[in-house]
Amino acid sequence: MADDATRIDQVRLHTLLGTYSNTKALKSGAVASPLVAFDFADVPVPNRGFKPMVRQHVYDCGELAIGTFLQARVAGVPYRLLPVTVMGRGQLHTIAYVPERGPLAPGDLAGKRVGVRAYSQTTGIWLRGMLQELYGVDPESIRWVTFEDAHVAGYQDPPHVVRAAPGQELVPMLLVGELDAAIVGDTFPDPRLAPLVPDPDAANRRWAETHGGVPVNHMLVIREEIAARRPDVVREVFRLLRESTAAAGIAVDDPTGALRFGVEAHRRSLELIIAYSYRQKLIPEQIAVDALFDDVTGALV
């Protein structure tokens, strides 16, 4: 009877969450809770779930790119942010060029055509901000070529952004010279590509050491109505992600690590991504970091 009562009282959350080292224990059930159960969505690549999340609100809880969350917040999408990084990474290794087409350095990008899946993509936001800070490249001096619209409905790209013609693809355009560089992600899909940033791994380490940690990419969100009614559920979800991360042998209190917990551990990264998003015309105004959280989420550590 006690087990039946536990099951009846348990809150079940339809959840979008990728399978990473830090989520494996949670998704396998090795880390579990009598208060919260998760119905994990069958989405092979989590970013494919971002548009349904912010447009149709199909998930109760899950990971969401921080750039998308900032736009969604402005649009009034009913999710609250938890100070949990589900996925963080250095970004300077993700932009590529083709050396056989001639030399190109990050400082040479003014006036060039650079491809990115979507202008609102969080990796693109970080890269544009980093290129401006580290190499003096004004993002508006680049012609950004995109292939998808924003996750959040209604957003219009600024004038220096153009859409590739239907049927065109990012990597083939880069290889034939229709693009000078492109943000292609962690793994380059063709051996003819090379990192635009020299020694990008070292550059990523320096950035983390001097800018408040590894850039945040995906953070955790929960449906607003659940957060308002059940702060105990919010606290439990936070605890479970922290415990699952620790179960993978990952330090949860590393102030410069890729996976961090609590507002203060995220503050500098959030300040940067907010500033970059505003400068790049993705959000209409600067947002204070503390305004992203409420009394419950802001106290999570």
Side-chain angles (χ1 to χ4, degrees), residues 24 45 52 65 69 98 100 132 135 147 161-162 170 173 198 216 221-222 226 253-254 271 273:
K24 187 176 179 180
V45 181
F69 174 79
V98 183
E100 67 184 35
Q132 185 165 30
Y135 302 102
F147 299 79
V161 179
V162 297
L170 187 148
M173 288 181 69
V216 296
V221 301
I222 193 166
I226 296 171
D253 297 312
D254 181 354
E271 287 173 345
I273 196 69

Side-chain angles (χ1 to χ4, degrees), residues 28-39:
S28 71
V31 168
S33 166
L35 178 63
V36 178
F38 298 92
D39 170 23

Side-chain angles (χ1 to χ4, degrees), residues 44-297:
V45 181
N47 65 22
R48 295 179 187 172
F50 294 168
K51 188 176 287 186
M53 178 182 280
V54 298
R55 294 193 182 194
Q56 287 86 44
H57 317 149
V58 298
Y59 303 109
D60 297 316
C61 178
E63 65 180 288
L64 186 64
I66 185 59
T68 297
F69 174 79
L70 293 174
Q71 287 193 298
R73 182 187 181 278
V74 170
V77 174
Y79 289 96
R80 287 191 190 172
L81 187 68
L82 276 67
V84 178
T85 301
V86 178
M87 198 220 353
R89 69 177 183 191
Q91 304 287 358
L92 292 166
H93 64 291
T94 62
I95 185 168
Y97 79 114
V98 183
E100 67 184 35
R101 303 195 65 83
L104 187 69
D108 301 331
L109 288 178
K112 304 295 187 183
R113 290 169 61 87
V114 179
V116 62
R117 178 175 55 80
Y119 182 72
S120 58
Q121 181 185 18
T122 295
T123 293
I125 301 171
W126 277 116
L127 255 296
R128 288 188 292 267
M130 291 172 161
L131 290 170
Q132 185 165 30
E133 179 174 335
L134 298 176
Y135 302 102
V137 181
D138 181 354
E140 294 190 23
S141 71
I142 296 171
R143 178 66 70 178
W144 295 93
V145 181
T146 66
F147 299 79
E148 298 178 13
D149 60 354
H151 292 130
V152 177
Y155 175 74
Q156 298 294 318
D157 291 335
H160 58 286
V161 179
V162 297
R163 182 62 56 87
Q168 288 190 303
E169 298 180 8
L170 187 148
V171 173
M173 288 181 69
L174 178 57
L175 291 172
V176 301
E178 294 177 353
L179 298 173
D180 299 291
I183 299 172
V184 297
D186 279 328
T187 303
F188 290 0
D190 191 284
R192 289 168 287 181
L193 303 181
L196 180 68
V197 175
D199 196 355
D201 291 339
N204 280 330
R205 287 193 298 272
R206 288 193 298 271
W207 181 273
E209 291 166 357
T210 57
H211 290 78
V214 173
V216 296
N217 200 314
H218 298 178
M219 294 185 71
L220 196 67
V221 301
I222 193 166
R223 191 183 295 275
E224 199 168 63
E225 62 180 317
I226 296 171
R229 286 189 296 106
R230 297 296 303 269
D232 56 334
V233 169
V234 174
R235 287 189 285 266
E236 185 71 345
V237 169
F238 180 89
R239 183 191 70 79
L240 290 166
L241 261 293
R242 186 179 174 96
E243 187 173 325
S244 183
T245 301
I250 299 169
V252 295
D253 297 312
D254 181 354
T256 63
L259 303 172
R260 303 193 294 279
F261 294 81
V263 174
E264 292 311 313
H266 287 91
R267 185 173 296 279
R268 182 59 179 144
S269 276
L270 290 174
E271 287 173 345
L272 286 166
I273 196 69
I274 290 166
Y276 293 165
S277 297
Y278 173 67
R279 291 174 198 160
Q280 295 169 31
K281 300 178 172 59
L282 289 153
I283 55 176
E285 60 184 5
Q286 292 265 27
I287 304 167
V289 169
D290 292 318
L292 299 177
F293 304 99
D294 59 22
D295 290 345
V296 174
T297 57

